[in-house]
Amino acid sequence: MGSVSVPQTVKQWNVVSHNGFDGLKFSEQPLPELGDGQVLVKIEGASLNYRDLIIARGEYPFPMAPNVVPGSDGAGTVVAVGKHVTRFKPGDKVITLFNQGHLGGKLNAQTVATGTGGVLDGTFRTYGAFNEEALVRSPAHLNAVEASTLTCAGLTAWNALFGSADHVVRAGHWVLVQGTGGVSIFALQFAKAVGAKVIATTGSPDKVPLLKKLGADHVLNYKENPNWGKTAKELTGGRGVDHVVQVAGGKEMEQSIAAVKMDGIIDIIGFVGGSADKEPTFLQCLSNLFTARGILVGSRTQMEEMIEAIEAHPEALRPVVDDKVFKLEELKEAYEYQWSGKHFSKVGVKIE
């Protein structure tokens, strides 16, 4: 393979203040020097997460570096490698890892503080240098925007369904997913791929056909049916759902508890719902005997397992990206679009 040209500069966004999306600044900077253990990636696709929006708004409850390059999700092509790098070579297609230090096993105080686009510089730029351990190979059949969605939403959904030894989703299980954000859509796809039944919720009648097309067995409108948790339990013949992928707030948690079976699991993901005044109590955990499990994405080992599964089911598990894809220069507009809640699944950014 011929040598890949490496530019002198990089176009990038930085979070210069945490007072809303106007705190995002776009500029051209000199390309930083490549460390011995680093890989220089031409970033060709990225995707947004709710986390990116609340970092810009100053509402993120985890550590953040000042002036950070935002974005955890990125995919692209290796253009250069440091002299000690063994895992990748120029021309390889790669995806970023969300927590760069979380290679396997459980999170700890050190690895939780290695978030891409929070503590460490992220993906909303044309080129980025990443530690070789913090990248995984990309599935060959996905474009860069599709591949980038696996970093956070894909891996979080995978961890939710397959990451707890006592509660691995199996054929015949019932899974409840909430809304049509990235994690929920991936969870729907993964659950169907192993033969589970899926109940999905949405507040938008126009999103029902999209959920059905992806394989949802039942779709409940939470605006029309405020007691959708009870309805979900009835749909399972009264036994309750095995798994709830809980991406919303306290009000929705009440419904999740109403839906979950005895000894089922509720996976607590993200901060989308914020905090309600009246949260469900720990007593409800006891009286319903379910497990509540907080999830912060997943490890590189899990990501590699997920990629193998995606390659084994290339069409059924193709990431779903919203029709409206933005350019890097339009990042603020992409943030506004995701904040509006009009998107379906993942909001993508094409980087040229």
Side-chain angles (χ1 to χ4, degrees):
M1 178 185 166
S3 65
V4 184
S5 66
V6 177
Q8 300 300 302
T9 60
V10 52
K11 292 178 184 167
Q12 66 188 47
W13 288 90
N14 293 81
V15 183
V16 296
S17 64
H18 298 274
N19 57 355
F21 305 155
D22 286 338
L24 294 166
K25 183 166 178 278
F26 190 59
S27 66
E28 194 158 347
Q29 301 292 336
L31 190 75
E33 209 170 302
L34 193 63
D36 290 348
Q38 287 187 318
V39 173
L40 183 66
V41 181
K42 180 182 193 298
I43 303 171
E44 292 152 348
S47 70
L48 269 62
N49 293 295
Y50 185 77
R51 165 188 187 253
D52 301 316
L53 311 186
I54 61 172
I55 283 176
R57 291 168 58 89
E59 296 163 10
Y60 190 56
F62 291 101
M64 289 177 289
N67 211 36
V68 73
V69 175
S72 60
D73 301 11
T77 306
V78 173
V79 291
V81 297
K83 64 181 178 188
H84 295 158
V85 169
T86 57
R87 295 187 72 233
F88 300 102
K89 61 185 188 310
D92 286 350
K93 298 287 185 186
V94 293
I95 315 173
T96 53
L97 185 64
F98 182 91
N99 271 319
Q100 294 193 19
H102 189 196
L103 305 185
K106 298 186 186 305
L107 274 168
N108 59 36
Q110 280 73 43
T111 55
V112 80
T114 57
T116 309
V119 178
L120 302 172
D121 280 338
T123 57
F124 296 145
R125 50 181 166 164
T126 48
Y127 289 82
F130 300 93
N131 186 294
E132 68 167 330
E133 301 294 348
L135 297 166
V136 293
R137 68 173 184 83
S138 176
H141 68 288
L142 298 183
N143 67 41
V145 173
E146 288 170 333
S148 74
T149 68
L150 301 177
T151 296
C152 185
L155 185 52
T156 301
W158 181 267
N159 188 0
L161 298 184
F162 307 108
S164 167
D166 297 333
H167 294 277
V168 172
V169 169
R170 295 188 174 85
H173 277 188
W174 285 87
V175 177
L176 174 66
V177 301
Q178 300 171 346
T180 51
V183 175
S184 299
I185 296 299
F186 271 116
L188 163 56
Q189 291 174 286
F190 291 150
K192 291 308 296 179
V194 296
K197 287 182 155 46
V198 176
I199 302 170
T201 71
T202 180
S204 311
D206 58 330
K207 290 179 178 176
V208 174
L210 297 165
L211 288 163
K212 292 269 192 180
K213 189 177 164 212
L214 288 167
D217 296 276
H218 303 278
V219 182
L220 304 177
N221 186 318
Y222 58 79
K223 288 183 180 166
E224 292 168 7
N225 179 2
N227 293 318
W228 50 265
K230 182 168 173 275
T231 308
K233 192 166 201 167
E234 286 163 3
L235 288 169
T236 68
R239 65 187 276 278
V241 301
D242 301 86
H243 251 273
V244 181
V245 180
Q246 168 71 27
V247 297
K251 186 167 87 257
E252 291 77 16
M253 187 67 177
E254 291 279 358
Q255 297 306 312
S256 297
I257 293 168
V260 76
K261 73 165 193 178
M262 190 182 289
D263 199 36
I265 187 167
I266 299 178
D267 294 300
I268 316 282
I269 290 155
F271 328 95
V272 179
S275 52
D277 294 337
K278 183 180 174 294
E279 297 283 0
T281 64
F282 293 113
L283 191 59
Q284 283 172 277
C285 212
L286 175 64
S287 56
N288 295 274
L289 299 178
F290 68 87
T291 298
R293 176 178 175 241
I295 289 180
L296 187 67
V297 196
S299 70
R300 192 180 83 196
T301 304
Q302 288 174 311
M303 191 161 174
E304 288 163 346
E305 288 167 358
M306 173 185 71
I307 284 168
E308 284 184 10
I310 288 168
E311 288 177 324
H313 303 273
E315 283 316 310
L317 297 182
R318 183 176 287 278
V320 179
V321 178
D322 190 274
D323 292 338
K324 203 170 165 67
V325 175
F326 295 82
K327 296 182 181 140
L328 182 64
E329 293 74 11
E330 302 169 327
L331 189 67
K332 280 189 198 175
E333 290 89 331
Y335 273 47
E336 295 285 359
Y337 180 60
Q338 175 135 342
W339 189 253
S340 76
K342 294 186 184 124
H343 62 292
F344 186 84
S345 195
K346 295 299 294 177
V347 176
V349 178
K350 198 167 189 302
I351 302 175
E352 287 167 343

